[in-house]
Amino acid sequence: MSEDLRKIIVDGEEIEVPNSYTLLQAAEEAGREIPRFCYHERLSVAGNCRMCLVELVGAPKPAASCAMQVKDMRGGPNGEPPAMNTLSPMVKKAREGVMEFLLINHPLDCPICDQGGECDLQDQALAYGRTGSRFPENKRAVEDKEMGPIISTEMTRCIQCTRCVRFVTEVAGSPEIGMIGRGEDAEITTYLESAVESELSGNVIDLCPVGALTSKPYAFNARPWELKKTETIDVMDAVGSNIRVDNRGPAVLRILPRVHEGVNEEWISDKTRYAWEGLGKQRLDRPYVRENGKLRPSDWTEALGIAAEKLGGDASKIGVVAGDMNSVEELKAVKDLADALGVASIDCRQDGAKIGGGARQDYLFNSTIAGIEDADAILLVGTNPRVEAAIINARIRKTWLNNDTKVGVIGEAVDLTYEYEHVGESAKDLAGLKKKRSGFIKTLKDAKRPMIIVGSGALTRGDGAQVLNAAGDLAAAVGAISEDWNGFNVLHTAASRVGGLDLGFLPGEGGHDVAGMQSTALDTVVLLGADELDMSSFGDAFVIYVGSHGDNGAHRADLILPGAAWTEQDGIFVNTEGRVQLASRSVFPKGEAKENWAIFRALSERLGKTLPYDNLEQLRMKLFEDHPVFAGIDHAPGAEGAADFDAKAVGEAGDVADEAFTSAVSNFYFTNPIARASETLAACSALRSEPAKVAAE
């Protein structure tokens, strides 16, 4: 038997578990279910609900199984393995007593509580509670707290499990919720009674085991059993968080996280959680044609005819720009049509990032998201992960907190929720770092697994390719590349970016990138959900907009072909670490809108360049045939090929500008048309712009 393992007896069954396991974990290893309210696998142990009591054989009273470890158990007098019971009469009586105490002040709000049907207290009261209560006294009432536009509070229901307090303190790194008072006067509240402003604050709604913290926008919209649940992927950033979309009929009513240890664990950002509000607003639900300066409704026959006429001209005068939330299938259809027409001016980098065209490792988050926890030194270059990828920022905080990982920043000095060394502000500081002998360069060289993360803010500048090369050169110099570790990482902000780069959705020979299209007099420009551009720069070009929302692109468009939002079509997305994931349709497109790949399939027929697929299955077969990398579903390459990866060759060699880095995201809540259409995210954005409250001196 290993030194780290110990034999124990659970309900008469002998098992072997690690010494570091808690009794609760050991019981679950033996297949026993232990009720709990305060305990959560990803939070520190509080031990304050006492619902997880078990009987230790030989002990005078029950023990809280979440707060005691296997190594603390005492064996029998004759050397017998330590034993515990989880189903004995003592345990049953203890749990009934704890439940009775929890329900003393809990109101009978189940018929009107939004947590009804998904409430841990409701479920465990049925399974472990008594049939009645011996406490007829009046219940206490607690004043509700204002926690902002996301969280609705009914604090009379609170059982003081402190999950919310521990989450915002430990995971989010924004300790805005705490407990005040003692005994009957104990309350959970926000400091200074202000709104919770963390980008991850909505996760406390999922964590709350009762109806004290619920979703304000979702309030009274539906009961859980009325909803159809679809497992899919988030597209609000390049993390690829695993989510569940709940809808009733044609309306999406909420978005919840799914567990994926390699990507988002079980957290999602507030933008991901409340983007669903924007899915039903400002929608493009039929074709439109601009006449005499105004858009008028049209039909698909006329709209496709106009589009075919405009795309049938000089191919050198046509450009295609893809946006940030396009699935791989639609990008494939557009690229195949562009190739058939001879159009070389195509680009999936609407922000102008100087990246792509080389090896796949040049533009991936090669260490993988989960690999952040293996790094012992991290350098952030031109990125603010707190607003560009809140889930990745939480991972960095986790490894900083648990592993004492050192973090350095070259860029803006902002609050990242963890301590870091501000190494510099500009690309010159990055290029000159390798020549230094002390400071953070020594930390990187001494680290066994150093990590460099280059953000979009560093790549969208004029010298982006040179900055990328300087970062790769530094990665090679500090030993960040080895056979089993690739510490060179690019953090993207767009869900469709890596998929587009994998497809080669880049300018062909003689073609223009986005900047070139904007500075060249083109006849026709196709915008595939591209809204984050200076639309005035396209001059007199005829603009065809294919998308789901009436945002910047639609305002400039001369022809609008209404497409489906990401929840309205099946699709493949590749996240920043190169992990291929499947998104599933939860509702159908609005009005006359069509799936985006199908629009270009129909258009190809009008142009006499019919694409060789008639349905999504055939399209995917063609996709996998041409680009086998997309067939590796849920696989993150990580350090594969690291031994042959030349970090010094990424980007372009040359001088960098002495200009400070800035983040690619200026407003966390308004990065795409769907988010901008959400009332809740608009309220969150307005809240951020208000002056912060300060305590009186």
Side-chain angles (χ1 to χ4, degrees), residues 11 54-55 85-93:
D11 295 329
V54 296
E55 178 188 3
N85 296 319
T86 68
L87 303 171
S88 66
M90 176 197 278
V91 173
K92 182 176 184 295
K93 185 177 180 181

Side-chain angles (χ1 to χ4, degrees), residues 229-256:
K229 303 166 179 65
T230 305
E231 295 185 350
T232 185
I233 305 300
D234 171 51
V235 299
M236 292 297 110
D237 53 30
V239 176
S241 297
N242 284 228
I243 59 173
R244 192 186 86 195
V245 174
D246 289 359
N247 70 287
R248 185 177 59 193
V252 173
L253 294 182
R254 66 175 179 180
I255 290 176
L256 299 175

Side-chain angles (χ1 to χ4, degrees), residues 571-599:
I572 289 173
F573 289 90
V574 188
N575 75 349
T576 191
E577 60 181 350
R579 186 186 300 272
V580 179
Q581 300 189 101
L582 294 174
S584 300
R585 179 175 63 195
S586 57
V587 294
F588 288 92
K590 306 298 182 206
E592 299 176 24
K594 308 294 182 185
E595 294 182 4
N596 295 340
W597 73 267
I599 294 174

